[in-house]
Amino acid sequence: MTSLEKMPIDPQLDDTQLADMISTHLTNAITETSRIIYGQQEEIKQIIASILSGGHALLVGAPGLGKTKLVSTLATVMGLSAKRVQFTPDLMPADITGSEILDEDAQGKRSFRFIPGPAFCQLLMADEINRASPRTQSALLQAMQEKYISIAGKDYPLPAPFHVLATQNPIEQEGTYPLPEAQLDRFMVQVNLTYPDQATEKAMLLATTGANESQAQQIITPDTLVKAQSLVRRLPIGENLVDSILRLVRNARPETSEDPFIQQNIAWGPGSRAAQALMLLVRARALLNGRLAPNQEDLIALAPAVLRHRIALTFTARAENIQLDDILKNLLNKAI
């Protein structure tokens, strides 16, 4: 497999030619990642689509499903400088953003010098983000939104591209600080990782417990990723698909839905940021699949990841064991 470092993109290419070239290498990137991470191809596509859209992703799954391995593999495949922070209750904002220290030069002159924290990378893994205090969570989430860090009144821009892949363990919730709804909304998608099927798990066992373990290879460069992110925003999207996105998001809100079931069972629904995310993500998924324009299939595939962390069920709905995934399926059927 050939790296894009050896095959730079010609700046004279038009958007159609550029899309064909980028799509080919994105396919190679998915194949390379799937060679290391078993049984999560659709989840890999969702994460890469969120990166192509310029967003951040929240990965939710039980321990041992390869969340950390997935992030490190994506960093290698996409050529991004990566760092990992293990979130704990005693983690401070400065442990992520960095801090100033009092420095003294050879002439004895003292001045403050900024020491960058791990956030100054292109792909940051926030491992178990819900274990840190709200103060530390907010420091990271501000950096995610603003793309810079402010220390002592001075702004320090983060590298471009900058993406955060955060993980959460849905099993152990004692002593955690769940992300508030407004902060969850900063994540473009919530990707749920599940257990692999028996055949996939057997293949994984054979591949990862031998003398030699496969290592991921770089396929894409950061410069190419930035070009792909710009291209995603230029891809056309049909008016029918735009209307479907609007219907889906507006029907998921109790304030704008005319469905009594939604009004009774949803406490609050997705904001306009969810519709913006879908507009970008369907284009990114189309590019991943070698198409120049998105279709309804892309919306069906991505809607649950975009909406599941932006909708809250009422107490009555939870007491009656109403499942959010079932509601999302019904909303999709009515929107398309």
Side-chain angles (χ1 to χ4, degrees):
M1 199 170 292
T2 306
S3 169
L4 285 185
E5 285 186 316
K6 300 177 182 178
M7 296 180 62
I9 290 180
D10 187 347
Q12 303 301 320
L13 294 177
D14 61 32
D15 280 355
T16 301
Q17 295 170 320
L18 181 62
D20 288 340
M21 178 171 285
I22 288 178
S23 178
T24 298
H25 290 290
L26 287 172
T27 299
N28 291 340
I30 294 171
T31 301
E32 180 67 8
T33 306
S34 300
R35 188 175 64 85
I36 307 298
I37 305 297
Y38 290 80
Q40 305 284 1
Q41 188 163 25
E42 189 57 38
E43 288 77 8
I44 290 169
K45 284 186 176 182
Q46 291 176 359
I47 297 170
I48 293 180
S50 72
I51 293 175
L52 286 175
S53 303
H56 313 282
L58 181 64
L59 281 58
V60 178
L65 293 182
K67 297 185 294 294
T68 303
K69 183 71 171 178
L70 173 55
V71 176
S72 62
T73 300
L74 282 172
T76 300
V77 170
M78 306 193 83
L80 301 175
S81 62
K83 292 182 181 177
R84 174 177 175 264
V85 177
Q86 180 68 50
F87 278 56
T88 57
D90 60 347
L91 192 73
M92 298 299 292
D95 296 328
I96 297 173
T97 61
S99 59
E100 285 190 328
I101 63 170
L102 187 61
D103 203 8
E104 184 175 344
D105 61 19
Q107 287 74 37
K109 183 180 179 180
R110 293 183 177 183
S111 61
F112 284 101
R113 179 165 60 93
F114 177 64
I115 304 296
F120 286 84
C121 64
Q122 294 171 321
L123 185 63
L124 177 65
M125 179 177 184
D127 207 355
E128 293 192 296
I129 188 173
N130 57 328
R131 292 201 176 276
S133 67
R135 182 182 177 188
T136 302
Q137 292 175 1
S138 63
L140 174 62
L141 292 163
Q142 181 183 16
M144 290 164 51
Q145 181 67 21
E146 307 299 337
K147 302 297 177 69
Y148 64 81
I149 286 171
S150 296
I151 302 291
K154 186 176 180 181
D155 296 337
Y156 297 89
L158 294 169
F162 173 70
H163 300 281
V164 173
L165 299 183
T167 69
Q168 276 192 178
N169 173 3
I171 299 175
E172 179 59 56
Q173 296 299 322
E174 185 176 350
T176 62
Y177 302 86
L179 290 173
E181 291 78 10
Q183 296 186 357
L184 278 172
D185 195 39
R186 302 296 182 184
F187 289 97
M188 184 169 277
V189 294
Q190 176 183 315
V191 180
N192 290 348
L193 302 178
T194 57
Y195 293 104
D197 58 40
Q198 182 173 341
T200 300
E201 194 163 10
K202 180 179 180 180
M204 179 192 66
L205 292 176
L206 294 173
T208 58
T209 59
N212 298 313
E213 188 172 348
S214 299
Q215 300 295 322
Q217 302 297 317
Q218 180 179 347
I219 304 298
I220 295 177
T221 64
D223 181 63
T224 299
L225 177 58
V226 171
K227 288 184 173 66
Q229 290 173 339
S230 177
L231 176 63
V232 164
R233 290 179 173 269
R234 299 197 301 270
L235 291 180
I237 181 169
E239 187 172 353
N240 288 339
L241 186 55
V242 176
D243 291 339
S244 293
I245 291 173
L246 273 174
R247 279 196 298 270
L248 174 63
V249 173
R250 293 184 64 82
N251 288 340
R253 302 171 189 156
E255 298 84 357
T256 56
S257 175
E258 297 180 358
D259 187 346
F261 181 83
I262 297 298
Q263 296 171 356
Q264 295 169 10
N265 293 289
I266 290 185
W268 51 266
S272 297
R273 189 180 282 117
Q276 293 172 325
L278 283 168
M279 288 285 289
L280 291 171
L281 284 164
V282 293
R283 293 166 172 160
R285 190 176 187 274
L287 189 61
L288 283 172
N289 291 329
R291 290 181 275 110
L292 296 178
N295 56 31
Q296 303 284 1
E297 178 190 342
D298 299 313
L299 179 58
I300 294 171
L302 291 165
V306 173
L307 298 179
R308 61 169 57 107
H309 60 299
R310 291 183 165 102
I311 297 177
L313 298 177
T314 62
F315 176 80
T316 303
R318 296 196 302 271
E320 294 178 358
N321 200 29
I322 294 175
Q323 299 299 312
L324 181 57
D325 286 345
D326 294 334
I327 293 179
L328 290 177
K329 288 178 183 178
N330 291 333
L331 287 170
L332 270 171
N333 291 334
K334 293 177 180 179
I336 293 174

